[in-house]
PDB file of all heavy atoms in Angstrom:
ATOM      1  N   LEU C 102     190.224 287.889  27.606  1.00  0.00           N
ATOM      2  CA  LEU C 102     191.388 287.522  28.388  1.00  0.00           C
ATOM      3  C   LEU C 102     191.526 288.496  29.553  1.00  0.00           C
ATOM      4  O   LEU C 102     191.462 289.706  29.353  1.00  0.00           O
ATOM      5  CB  LEU C 102     192.632 287.564  27.508  1.00  0.00           C
ATOM      6  CG  LEU C 102     193.933 287.005  28.055  1.00  0.00           C
ATOM      7  CD1 LEU C 102     193.780 285.538  28.393  1.00  0.00           C
ATOM      8  CD2 LEU C 102     195.050 287.204  27.033  1.00  0.00           C
ATOM      9  N   VAL C 103     191.719 287.954  30.750  1.00  0.00           N
ATOM     10  CA  VAL C 103     191.995 288.774  31.931  1.00  0.00           C
ATOM     11  C   VAL C 103     193.362 288.359  32.451  1.00  0.00           C
ATOM     12  O   VAL C 103     193.573 287.184  32.764  1.00  0.00           O
ATOM     13  CB  VAL C 103     190.920 288.586  33.017  1.00  0.00           C
ATOM     14  CG1 VAL C 103     191.235 289.457  34.223  1.00  0.00           C
ATOM     15  CG2 VAL C 103     189.538 288.924  32.460  1.00  0.00           C
ATOM     16  N   GLN C 104     194.267 289.324  32.511  1.00  0.00           N
ATOM     17  CA  GLN C 104     195.633 289.039  32.910  1.00  0.00           C
ATOM     18  C   GLN C 104     196.096 290.025  33.972  1.00  0.00           C
ATOM     19  O   GLN C 104     195.751 291.208  33.919  1.00  0.00           O
ATOM     20  CB  GLN C 104     196.570 289.158  31.700  1.00  0.00           C
ATOM     21  CG  GLN C 104     196.377 288.112  30.618  1.00  0.00           C
ATOM     22  CD  GLN C 104     196.972 286.781  30.997  1.00  0.00           C
ATOM     23  OE1 GLN C 104     196.263 285.900  31.491  1.00  0.00           O
ATOM     24  NE2 GLN C 104     198.264 286.640  30.774  1.00  0.00           N
ATOM     25  N   PRO C 105     196.923 289.565  34.921  1.00  0.00           N
ATOM     26  CA  PRO C 105     197.443 290.503  35.917  1.00  0.00           C
ATOM     27  C   PRO C 105     198.576 291.343  35.346  1.00  0.00           C
ATOM     28  O   PRO C 105     199.256 290.950  34.383  1.00  0.00           O
ATOM     29  CB  PRO C 105     197.958 289.566  37.026  1.00  0.00           C
ATOM     30  CG  PRO C 105     198.270 288.286  36.335  1.00  0.00           C
ATOM     31  CD  PRO C 105     197.291 288.166  35.219  1.00  0.00           C
ATOM     32  N   VAL C 106     198.762 292.505  35.958  1.00  0.00           N
ATOM     33  CA  VAL C 106     199.882 293.363  35.575  1.00  0.00           C
ATOM     34  C   VAL C 106     201.188 292.586  35.714  1.00  0.00           C
ATOM     35  O   VAL C 106     201.390 291.854  36.680  1.00  0.00           O
ATOM     36  CB  VAL C 106     199.907 294.626  36.460  1.00  0.00           C
ATOM     37  CG1 VAL C 106     201.204 295.387  36.293  1.00  0.00           C
ATOM     38  CG2 VAL C 106     198.721 295.519  36.150  1.00  0.00           C
ATOM     39  N   GLY C 107     202.068 292.752  34.732  1.00  0.00           N
ATOM     40  CA  GLY C 107     203.368 292.098  34.778  1.00  0.00           C
ATOM     41  C   GLY C 107     203.413 290.718  34.162  1.00  0.00           C
ATOM     42  O   GLY C 107     204.498 290.148  33.996  1.00  0.00           O
ATOM     43  N   SER C 108     202.264 290.197  33.791  1.00  0.00           N
ATOM     44  CA  SER C 108     202.234 288.860  33.176  1.00  0.00           C
ATOM     45  C   SER C 108     202.480 288.980  31.672  1.00  0.00           C
ATOM     46  O   SER C 108     202.304 290.050  31.078  1.00  0.00           O
ATOM     47  CB  SER C 108     200.887 288.186  33.430  1.00  0.00           C
ATOM     48  OG  SER C 108     199.835 288.905  32.815  1.00  0.00           O
ATOM     49  N   PRO C 109     202.883 287.878  31.025  1.00  0.00           N
ATOM     50  CA  PRO C 109     203.105 287.926  29.578  1.00  0.00           C
ATOM     51  C   PRO C 109     201.798 287.815  28.800  1.00  0.00           C
ATOM     52  O   PRO C 109     200.760 287.445  29.334  1.00  0.00           O
ATOM     53  CB  PRO C 109     203.993 286.702  29.323  1.00  0.00           C
ATOM     54  CG  PRO C 109     203.607 285.751  30.406  1.00  0.00           C
ATOM     55  CD  PRO C 109     203.269 286.587  31.605  1.00  0.00           C
ATOM     56  N   LEU C 110     201.875 288.127  27.514  1.00  0.00           N
ATOM     57  CA  LEU C 110     200.696 288.090  26.649  1.00  0.00           C
ATOM     58  C   LEU C 110     201.053 287.460  25.317  1.00  0.00           C
ATOM     59  O   LEU C 110     202.146 287.689  24.779  1.00  0.00           O
ATOM     60  CB  LEU C 110     200.191 289.509  26.384  1.00  0.00           C
ATOM     61  CG  LEU C 110     199.069 289.642  25.345  1.00  0.00           C
ATOM     62  CD1 LEU C 110     197.762 289.149  25.924  1.00  0.00           C
ATOM     63  CD2 LEU C 110     198.933 291.093  24.877  1.00  0.00           C
ATOM     64  N   SER C 111     200.142 286.661  24.800  1.00  0.00           N
ATOM     65  CA  SER C 111     200.281 286.147  23.437  1.00  0.00           C
ATOM     66  C   SER C 111     198.891 286.028  22.830  1.00  0.00           C
ATOM     67  O   SER C 111     198.070 285.249  23.290  1.00  0.00           O
ATOM     68  CB  SER C 111     200.982 284.789  23.437  1.00  0.00           C
ATOM     69  OG  SER C 111     201.120 284.312  22.105  1.00  0.00           O
ATOM     70  N   LEU C 112     198.643 286.826  21.808  1.00  0.00           N
ATOM     71  CA  LEU C 112     197.393 286.759  21.050  1.00  0.00           C
ATOM     72  C   LEU C 112     197.729 286.266  19.653  1.00  0.00           C
ATOM     73  O   LEU C 112     198.696 286.715  19.048  1.00  0.00           O
ATOM     74  CB  LEU C 112     196.719 288.128  20.965  1.00  0.00           C
ATOM     75  CG  LEU C 112     196.392 288.825  22.273  1.00  0.00           C
ATOM     76  CD1 LEU C 112     195.722 290.172  21.981  1.00  0.00           C
ATOM     77  CD2 LEU C 112     195.520 287.974  23.156  1.00  0.00           C
ATOM     78  N   GLU C 113     196.899 285.371  19.149  1.00  0.00           N
ATOM     79  CA  GLU C 113     197.201 284.760  17.854  1.00  0.00           C
ATOM     80  C   GLU C 113     196.097 285.027  16.840  1.00  0.00           C
ATOM     81  O   GLU C 113     194.915 285.099  17.176  1.00  0.00           O
ATOM     82  CB  GLU C 113     197.416 283.265  18.010  1.00  0.00           C
ATOM     83  CG  GLU C 113     197.941 282.580  16.768  1.00  0.00           C
ATOM     84  CD  GLU C 113     198.504 281.193  17.044  1.00  0.00           C
ATOM     85  OE1 GLU C 113     198.786 280.888  18.214  1.00  0.00           O
ATOM     86  OE2 GLU C 113     198.627 280.423  16.084  1.00  0.00           O
ATOM     87  N   CYS C 114     196.513 285.157  15.606  1.00  0.00           N
ATOM     88  CA  CYS C 114     195.598 285.428  14.503  1.00  0.00           C
ATOM     89  C   CYS C 114     196.041 284.587  13.306  1.00  0.00           C
ATOM     90  O   CYS C 114     197.237 284.551  12.981  1.00  0.00           O
ATOM     91  CB  CYS C 114     195.649 286.914  14.177  1.00  0.00           C
ATOM     92  SG  CYS C 114     194.810 287.417  12.672  1.00  0.00           S
ATOM     93  N   THR C 115     195.106 283.921  12.677  1.00  0.00           N
ATOM     94  CA  THR C 115     195.427 283.175  11.452  1.00  0.00           C
ATOM     95  C   THR C 115     194.403 283.491  10.372  1.00  0.00           C
ATOM     96  O   THR C 115     193.234 283.758  10.664  1.00  0.00           O
ATOM     97  CB  THR C 115     195.464 281.657  11.681  1.00  0.00           C
ATOM     98  OG1 THR C 115     194.185 281.230  12.158  1.00  0.00           O
ATOM     99  CG2 THR C 115     196.529 281.269  12.677  1.00  0.00           C
ATOM    100  N   VAL C 116     194.871 283.477   9.142  1.00  0.00           N
ATOM    101  CA  VAL C 116     194.021 283.763   7.987  1.00  0.00           C
ATOM    102  C   VAL C 116     193.986 282.533   7.100  1.00  0.00           C
ATOM    103  O   VAL C 116     195.016 281.885   6.894  1.00  0.00           O
ATOM    104  CB  VAL C 116     194.561 284.972   7.206  1.00  0.00           C
ATOM    105  CG1 VAL C 116     193.674 285.274   5.989  1.00  0.00           C
ATOM    106  CG2 VAL C 116     194.636 286.195   8.108  1.00  0.00           C
ATOM    107  N   GLU C 117     192.823 282.229   6.571  1.00  0.00           N
ATOM    108  CA  GLU C 117     192.666 281.104   5.654  1.00  0.00           C
ATOM    109  C   GLU C 117     192.129 281.584   4.323  1.00  0.00           C
ATOM    110  O   GLU C 117     191.394 282.572   4.255  1.00  0.00           O
ATOM    111  CB  GLU C 117     191.692 280.071   6.256  1.00  0.00           C
ATOM    112  CG  GLU C 117     192.173 279.416   7.532  1.00  0.00           C
ATOM    113  CD  GLU C 117     191.155 278.454   8.114  1.00  0.00           C
ATOM    114  OE1 GLU C 117     190.058 278.326   7.520  1.00  0.00           O
ATOM    115  OE2 GLU C 117     191.442 277.837   9.148  1.00  0.00           O
ATOM    116  N   GLY C 118     192.504 280.899   3.268  1.00  0.00           N
ATOM    117  CA  GLY C 118     191.922 281.172   1.965  1.00  0.00           C
ATOM    118  C   GLY C 118     192.615 282.230   1.148  1.00  0.00           C
ATOM    119  O   GLY C 118     192.094 282.642   0.103  1.00  0.00           O
ATOM    120  N   THR C 119     193.803 282.666   1.559  1.00  0.00           N
ATOM    121  CA  THR C 119     194.557 283.641   0.788  1.00  0.00           C
ATOM    122  C   THR C 119     196.036 283.449   1.066  1.00  0.00           C
ATOM    123  O   THR C 119     196.407 282.917   2.113  1.00  0.00           O
ATOM    124  CB  THR C 119     194.119 285.073   1.133  1.00  0.00           C
ATOM    125  OG1 THR C 119     194.781 285.996   0.257  1.00  0.00           O
ATOM    126  CG2 THR C 119     194.462 285.429   2.566  1.00  0.00           C
ATOM    127  N   SER C 120     196.857 283.860   0.126  1.00  0.00           N
ATOM    128  CA  SER C 120     198.296 283.736   0.302  1.00  0.00           C
ATOM    129  C   SER C 120     198.948 285.102   0.382  1.00  0.00           C
ATOM    130  O   SER C 120     198.499 286.056  -0.257  1.00  0.00           O
ATOM    131  CB  SER C 120     198.904 282.971  -0.880  1.00  0.00           C
ATOM    132  OG  SER C 120     198.402 281.646  -0.920  1.00  0.00           O
ATOM    133  N   ASN C 121     200.011 285.182   1.176  1.00  0.00           N
ATOM    134  CA  ASN C 121     200.797 286.403   1.311  1.00  0.00           C
ATOM    135  C   ASN C 121     199.952 287.642   1.624  1.00  0.00           C
ATOM    136  O   ASN C 121     200.114 288.693   0.985  1.00  0.00           O
ATOM    137  CB  ASN C 121     201.619 286.647   0.044  1.00  0.00           C
ATOM    138  CG  ASN C 121     202.698 287.686   0.271  1.00  0.00           C
ATOM    139  OD1 ASN C 121     203.237 287.804   1.360  1.00  0.00           O
ATOM    140  ND2 ASN C 121     202.990 288.473  -0.752  1.00  0.00           N
ATOM    141  N   PRO C 122     199.031 287.526   2.582  1.00  0.00           N
ATOM    142  CA  PRO C 122     198.238 288.721   2.904  1.00  0.00           C
ATOM    143  C   PRO C 122     199.065 289.736   3.667  1.00  0.00           C
ATOM    144  O   PRO C 122     200.067 289.394   4.291  1.00  0.00           O
ATOM    145  CB  PRO C 122     197.140 288.152   3.799  1.00  0.00           C
ATOM    146  CG  PRO C 122     197.803 287.003   4.497  1.00  0.00           C
ATOM    147  CD  PRO C 122     198.733 286.401   3.468  1.00  0.00           C
ATOM    148  N   ASN C 123     198.652 290.995   3.615  1.00  0.00           N
ATOM    149  CA  ASN C 123     199.146 291.974   4.578  1.00  0.00           C
ATOM    150  C   ASN C 123     198.376 291.707   5.876  1.00  0.00           C
ATOM    151  O   ASN C 123     197.167 291.453   5.854  1.00  0.00           O
ATOM    152  CB  ASN C 123     198.862 293.399   4.111  1.00  0.00           C
ATOM    153  CG  ASN C 123     199.720 293.798   2.935  1.00  0.00           C
ATOM    154  OD1 ASN C 123     200.683 293.135   2.600  1.00  0.00           O
ATOM    155  ND2 ASN C 123     199.346 294.909   2.310  1.00  0.00           N
ATOM    156  N   LEU C 124     199.082 291.765   6.993  1.00  0.00           N
ATOM    157  CA  LEU C 124     198.444 291.496   8.282  1.00  0.00           C
ATOM    158  C   LEU C 124     198.646 292.685   9.220  1.00  0.00           C
ATOM    159  O   LEU C 124     199.683 293.359   9.160  1.00  0.00           O
ATOM    160  CB  LEU C 124     199.028 290.228   8.912  1.00  0.00           C
ATOM    161  CG  LEU C 124     198.766 288.934   8.138  1.00  0.00           C
ATOM    162  CD1 LEU C 124     199.538 287.764   8.753  1.00  0.00           C
ATOM    163  CD2 LEU C 124     197.274 288.620   8.106  1.00  0.00           C
ATOM    164  N   TYR C 125     197.663 292.923  10.065  1.00  0.00           N
ATOM    165  CA  TYR C 125     197.644 294.106  10.916  1.00  0.00           C
ATOM    166  C   TYR C 125     197.171 293.758  12.323  1.00  0.00           C
ATOM    167  O   TYR C 125     196.310 292.899  12.500  1.00  0.00           O
ATOM    168  CB  TYR C 125     196.683 295.169  10.359  1.00  0.00           C
ATOM    169  CG  TYR C 125     196.888 295.526   8.907  1.00  0.00           C
ATOM    170  CD1 TYR C 125     196.384 294.721   7.894  1.00  0.00           C
ATOM    171  CD2 TYR C 125     197.574 296.686   8.552  1.00  0.00           C
ATOM    172  CE1 TYR C 125     196.569 295.048   6.560  1.00  0.00           C
ATOM    173  CE2 TYR C 125     197.760 297.028   7.213  1.00  0.00           C
ATOM    174  CZ  TYR C 125     197.248 296.200   6.226  1.00  0.00           C
ATOM    175  OH  TYR C 125     197.433 296.534   4.909  1.00  0.00           O
ATOM    176  N   TRP C 126     197.722 294.482  13.312  1.00  0.00           N
ATOM    177  CA  TRP C 126     197.162 294.488  14.668  1.00  0.00           C
ATOM    178  C   TRP C 126     196.723 295.919  14.980  1.00  0.00           C
ATOM    179  O   TRP C 126     197.505 296.862  14.836  1.00  0.00           O
ATOM    180  CB  TRP C 126     198.198 294.050  15.701  1.00  0.00           C
ATOM    181  CG  TRP C 126     198.368 292.566  15.823  1.00  0.00           C
ATOM    182  CD1 TRP C 126     199.446 291.830  15.454  1.00  0.00           C
ATOM    183  CD2 TRP C 126     197.431 291.632  16.370  1.00  0.00           C
ATOM    184  NE1 TRP C 126     199.240 290.497  15.720  1.00  0.00           N
ATOM    185  CE2 TRP C 126     198.010 290.347  16.279  1.00  0.00           C
ATOM    186  CE3 TRP C 126     196.150 291.744  16.924  1.00  0.00           C
ATOM    187  CZ2 TRP C 126     197.371 289.193  16.729  1.00  0.00           C
ATOM    188  CZ3 TRP C 126     195.506 290.599  17.360  1.00  0.00           C
ATOM    189  CH2 TRP C 126     196.120 289.344  17.270  1.00  0.00           C
ATOM    190  N   TYR C 127     195.466 296.040  15.419  1.00  0.00           N
ATOM    191  CA  TYR C 127     194.912 297.311  15.855  1.00  0.00           C
ATOM    192  C   TYR C 127     194.470 297.183  17.316  1.00  0.00           C
ATOM    193  O   TYR C 127     194.132 296.097  17.793  1.00  0.00           O
ATOM    194  CB  TYR C 127     193.677 297.693  15.022  1.00  0.00           C
ATOM    195  CG  TYR C 127     193.962 298.309  13.680  1.00  0.00           C
ATOM    196  CD1 TYR C 127     194.227 297.509  12.572  1.00  0.00           C
ATOM    197  CD2 TYR C 127     193.957 299.693  13.506  1.00  0.00           C
ATOM    198  CE1 TYR C 127     194.474 298.083  11.324  1.00  0.00           C
ATOM    199  CE2 TYR C 127     194.194 300.271  12.273  1.00  0.00           C
ATOM    200  CZ  TYR C 127     194.451 299.446  11.192  1.00  0.00           C
ATOM    201  OH  TYR C 127     194.706 300.017   9.964  1.00  0.00           O
ATOM    202  N   ARG C 128     194.425 298.326  17.982  1.00  0.00           N
ATOM    203  CA  ARG C 128     193.808 298.386  19.303  1.00  0.00           C
ATOM    204  C   ARG C 128     192.699 299.434  19.255  1.00  0.00           C
ATOM    205  O   ARG C 128     192.871 300.513  18.682  1.00  0.00           O
ATOM    206  CB  ARG C 128     194.811 298.756  20.385  1.00  0.00           C
ATOM    207  CG  ARG C 128     194.193 298.886  21.778  1.00  0.00           C
ATOM    208  CD  ARG C 128     195.251 298.927  22.856  1.00  0.00           C
ATOM    209  NE  ARG C 128     196.174 300.032  22.669  1.00  0.00           N
ATOM    210  CZ  ARG C 128     197.384 300.075  23.250  1.00  0.00           C
ATOM    211  NH1 ARG C 128     197.783 299.096  24.027  1.00  0.00           N
ATOM    212  NH2 ARG C 128     198.146 301.112  23.052  1.00  0.00           N
ATOM    213  N   GLN C 129     191.588 299.086  19.882  1.00  0.00           N
ATOM    214  CA  GLN C 129     190.456 299.996  19.934  1.00  0.00           C
ATOM    215  C   GLN C 129     190.111 300.234  21.394  1.00  0.00           C
ATOM    216  O   GLN C 129     189.625 299.336  22.086  1.00  0.00           O
ATOM    217  CB  GLN C 129     189.258 299.402  19.186  1.00  0.00           C
ATOM    218  CG  GLN C 129     188.080 300.340  19.058  1.00  0.00           C
ATOM    219  CD  GLN C 129     186.966 299.734  18.226  1.00  0.00           C
ATOM    220  OE1 GLN C 129     186.726 298.537  18.240  1.00  0.00           O
ATOM    221  NE2 GLN C 129     186.254 300.562  17.462  1.00  0.00           N
ATOM    222  N   ALA C 130     190.365 301.452  21.890  1.00  0.00           N
ATOM    223  CA  ALA C 130     189.983 301.811  23.253  1.00  0.00           C
ATOM    224  C   ALA C 130     188.527 302.232  23.248  1.00  0.00           C
ATOM    225  O   ALA C 130     187.987 302.670  22.224  1.00  0.00           O
ATOM    226  CB  ALA C 130     190.881 302.927  23.759  1.00  0.00           C
ATOM    227  N   ALA C 131     187.890 302.120  24.389  1.00  0.00           N
ATOM    228  CA  ALA C 131     186.466 302.430  24.511  1.00  0.00           C
ATOM    229  C   ALA C 131     186.203 303.857  24.047  1.00  0.00           C
ATOM    230  O   ALA C 131     186.853 304.796  24.495  1.00  0.00           O
ATOM    231  CB  ALA C 131     186.010 302.244  25.957  1.00  0.00           C
TER     232      ALA C 131
END
Side-chain angles (χ1 to χ4, degrees):
Chain C
L102 190 60
V103 180
Q104 293 283 96
V106 168
S108 64
L110 172 74
S111 181
L112 303 180
E113 189 164 343
C114 170
T115 59
V116 180
E117 296 178 359
T119 186
S120 296
N121 195 32
N123 289 347
L124 295 173
Y125 308 80
W126 278 111
Y127 279 84
R128 178 166 59 199
Q129 186 176 34

